[in-house]
Amino acid sequence: MSFFAKMRAERLIADIKSSSDADATRARKALEKLGRLGPSAIPRIIDALATADKKETAGLVRVLGAALDNKSFPLVAAGLVDGNPRTVAAVTWALSTSRDYSPQLLYGLLSDPQMPKAQVVSILAAQKSRLAARELLKHAYNQEPAEKAALFRIVAEIGDASLLPELLSRLEGKDPIARTHIINILARFNRPEVAEALHKQLRDNNKFIRQAVLNALSRFEGHADVGLLCEVLRDPDVETQQKAIEAVVRANHPDTMQHLVEVLRDEDEGARRAAVEVLNEIGTPRHVKFLLQSIKDDDWWVRSRAADALAKIGGPRVIEAALELIRDKDEDVRRAAIEILNQTRDARAVDHLVAATRDSDWWVRERAVDALAEIGSQRALPALLDLLDSADERSLPSVV
């Protein structure tokens, strides 16, 4: 900047600052003259912003924006590293509103360690209509978590279906934070190829990846892989497991029970609980019967664990199913149903249990007596007294 240009800029800025409301015309003319100085006035304008009031700042920012182009961009951007917050805010304003410079220049600011990244991201957000999602995606990877998240949000806003190949190719990357953000963007595209790629991530070692996938799939319709979702019911992370329960319930796929039976057999109590929670939401007597029939040939401890889970966690749907199945033709199903009712102590079961004391299977009869004892309803007394005369000798201790 020449000495004379510097002096002239300083004089015009002084005129602007000394002008009162009554001298609005004088201030406007000074701003016009300052603007005609072009880029040479930028350093003095930036210096003046530190002490400018609101009205002066608005005028100076207009001049700054008018002087902005690819050549003057470095001069204006230098104001972002000024220690004065007023100056930084005003320069951010100018860079956010001007459309006369290439937005590509902003990417260079992201890699400059001196630049305040929050302000640069703010400018990028304001200029998002002029940004290329694919280019922004590349630069997002090199940022700190907060800035990375903000840049991925911008990518989500400006990206369209043409970006899908790029996003899907990055889904197997090494950066778990970036992958989580990519999954969140992919959630906008309910397509078979996206659903397939997301399902594969359910086996990832990172719980946040698994949770992000489950959140994304919850927004899809008709693309649920219920087998994989049921696998996640075994997840050791409680929050992930809960999201998997919600996903399986939401999908309500006709093949759910075929996969759920394996979870009900699981050695882990948490997995069995998850399976029963799904049943509580979408189970019917037909579903419960299918599960009970599927495990009837397993070892006794498998059947016991499954019945225990159904009894302890089963809600109204499971209890209603047990009440219906206590009269089933299949002896093994009746035995399993009576075990569920034996632990629930539900008074609604009294009449059904009284009827079960006359079952053809001695095991069902005896466990019905035990269940009636646990419930403690006096309505059971007549049936129990009859059993004193008619029950097998081995059942008499239970009856007494």
Side-chain angles (χ1 to χ4, degrees), residues 168 171 191-201 217 220 223 225 228:
L168 292 173
L171 201 51
R191 296 189 175 197
E193 68 271 25
V194 175
E196 183 181 357
L198 289 176
H199 277 101
K200 291 178 181 177
Q201 302 301 313
L217 291 174
F220 287 8
H223 300 305
D225 185 331
L228 281 174

Side-chain angles (χ1 to χ4, degrees), residues 326-328 331 334 355-362 364-365:
I326 200 174
R327 302 186 302 273
D328 196 84
E331 182 180 282
R334 296 202 307 278
T357 61
R358 298 185 292 274
D359 196 275
S360 59
D361 179 22
W362 70 271
V364 174
R365 293 197 304 272

Side-chain angles (χ1 to χ4, degrees), residues 131-197:
L131 301 177
R134 191 171 277 101
E135 185 72 18
L136 186 60
L137 188 62
K138 294 176 184 177
H139 290 282
Y141 275 79
N142 299 322
Q143 305 308 309
E144 294 299 317
E147 287 73 37
K148 182 181 291 187
L151 293 179
F152 270 103
R153 281 196 294 272
I154 299 173
V155 172
E157 292 174 12
I158 65 176
D160 56 24
S162 66
L163 191 62
L164 281 178
E166 181 82 15
L167 294 171
L168 292 173
S169 69
R170 292 176 178 271
L171 201 51
E172 301 291 343
K174 294 181 180 180
D175 185 341
I177 297 177
R179 289 171 61 206
T180 301
H181 291 308
I182 287 173
I183 290 167
N184 293 337
I185 297 174
L186 287 170
R188 297 172 51 216
F189 302 97
N190 185 9
R191 296 189 175 197
E193 68 271 25
V194 175
E196 183 181 357

Side-chain angles (χ1 to χ4, degrees), residues 244-253 256 277-279 281-282:
I245 292 170
E246 294 168 3
V248 175
V249 170
R250 192 181 299 107
N252 199 8
H253 195 279
T256 299
E277 287 193 38
V278 172
L279 268 182
E281 297 295 330
I282 62 174

